[in-house]
Amino acid sequence: MGLNVSFRNSTDVDISWNEATGAIGDSVTVLPVVVAVTVLTDLSLSVMLVWFGVFQILWGLYYGVPVSVEPMKAVAALVIAGALTAGELLVAGLLLGVALLVIGTTGSLTRFERYVGAPVVRGVQFGVALVLLRTGVDLGLTSPALAGVAGVVAAVLVARGHWRLSAFAVLLVGGVVAAASVGLPTPTLPRTDGPLLFGADDLTVPALEATVAQLAMTLGNAALATAVLIGDYFDREVSPDELTTSMGVMNLVAIPFGALPMCHGSGGVAGKYAFGARTAGANLFLGVGYLVVAVFAVELVAAYPVAVLGAILVLVALQLGRTSLTETIASPLVVAIGLCGLLTNLGVAFVGGIVAHHSLAWWRRR
């Protein structure tokens, strides 16, 4: 079954099984992070899921492709590690929202893009794939037996030609485990105390440092690399500045209410594509799913076994890594940038990749 929505000439919104399974590919880049942040801070899981749901629907329909909405992972990682408080996290998100909105609306990133180099963008994509792969393995090791069961289920279905069904089946395994541990969840309304979670005293040096670190990663992966991947998979031209602007908008709108800082990202796009998404229908499925879960099943998400999410994350990583390497003729540089992103962070890899790319070009011209 399909539904055609007129937007930008013609946007195909398909309400089908492939779009439903494709939605799972983006959710696995979100759920482990938001659950960890919920456990370690005062931020509300239901509030975070509501805003992820709202923007999944909004940006899916706006761009007309299965664009991703993910947590800003650098600042989230700092909170999980205890280096930032929840208030500092939200202040950093607001600062990032302002910076991204200014960069996007002035067209600065499109002008800067010509100096970056295609191998650098592919290298950042490959770095994301490696980070997702490592994260998936780490999550799987929290419960090797359960991850093994999930892996066997996925492997059997993939071997029988059901790649897209594999994600749904693995997700269902985790849902059964979570339901067995918490029983039937009770409906809960999202909290409304977001504005009380941060103040002027949260504008600290760690918050500023986190803002700078996240900004480089966001511009490299969530804007430049995502724009390229959307062209690869869906033949749709979306400029990095458009993505940068939409990231600025959603953070400035949502963070005052207690939302987690959000961005687009190539990992989520690759995940949706890998499991069948080809239209914005995947965003509708996932957005509505987040909203329903935020009210009716937030306890189930909090109890969901992360080892199962790790198994799906590995499949997403393999899809993105394959695309990164097959769409370039500069594989050594792409791999080097990706490894740099894995061993340091994607912001450092992005900046270092630009330097390396231009240094190699200069050397060849000698």
Side-chain angles (χ1 to χ4, degrees), residues 64-100:
V65 294
V67 68
S68 65
V69 180
E70 307 174 13
M72 286 188 168
K73 295 182 180 64
V75 290
L78 290 172
V79 170
I80 293 169
L84 283 183
T85 66
E88 289 170 332
L89 168 71
L90 297 180
V91 167
L94 288 172
L95 293 174
L96 285 159
V98 172
L100 292 168

Side-chain angles (χ1 to χ4, degrees), residues 226-317:
T226 301
V228 170
L229 204 62
I230 288 172
D232 288 343
Y233 288 157
F234 311 112
D235 195 28
R236 173 66 65 92
E237 185 176 345
V238 175
S239 77
D241 279 313
E242 287 183 281
L243 294 171
T244 303
T245 301
S246 62
M247 288 186 286
V249 167
M250 66 179 166
N251 283 295
L252 291 176
V253 169
I255 285 176
F257 296 97
L260 189 66
M262 294 172 285
C263 62
H264 301 303
S266 57
V269 174
K272 280 179 172 167
Y273 181 87
F275 296 121
R278 297 296 182 268
T279 77
N283 287 64
L284 296 184
F285 274 114
L286 187 53
V288 171
Y290 281 149
L291 295 174
V292 170
V293 169
V295 175
F296 295 102
V298 72
E299 297 170 11
L300 204 62
V301 172
Y304 198 91
V306 294
V308 175
L309 296 176
I312 304 175
L313 212 53
V314 168
L315 297 175
V316 173

Side-chain angles (χ1 to χ4, degrees), residues 131 134 217 336-350 352:
V131 170
R134 180 180 63 188
M217 182 185 298
I337 294 171
L339 289 173
C340 178
L342 177 68
L343 298 175
T344 58
N345 65 64
L346 294 172
V348 171
F350 177 54

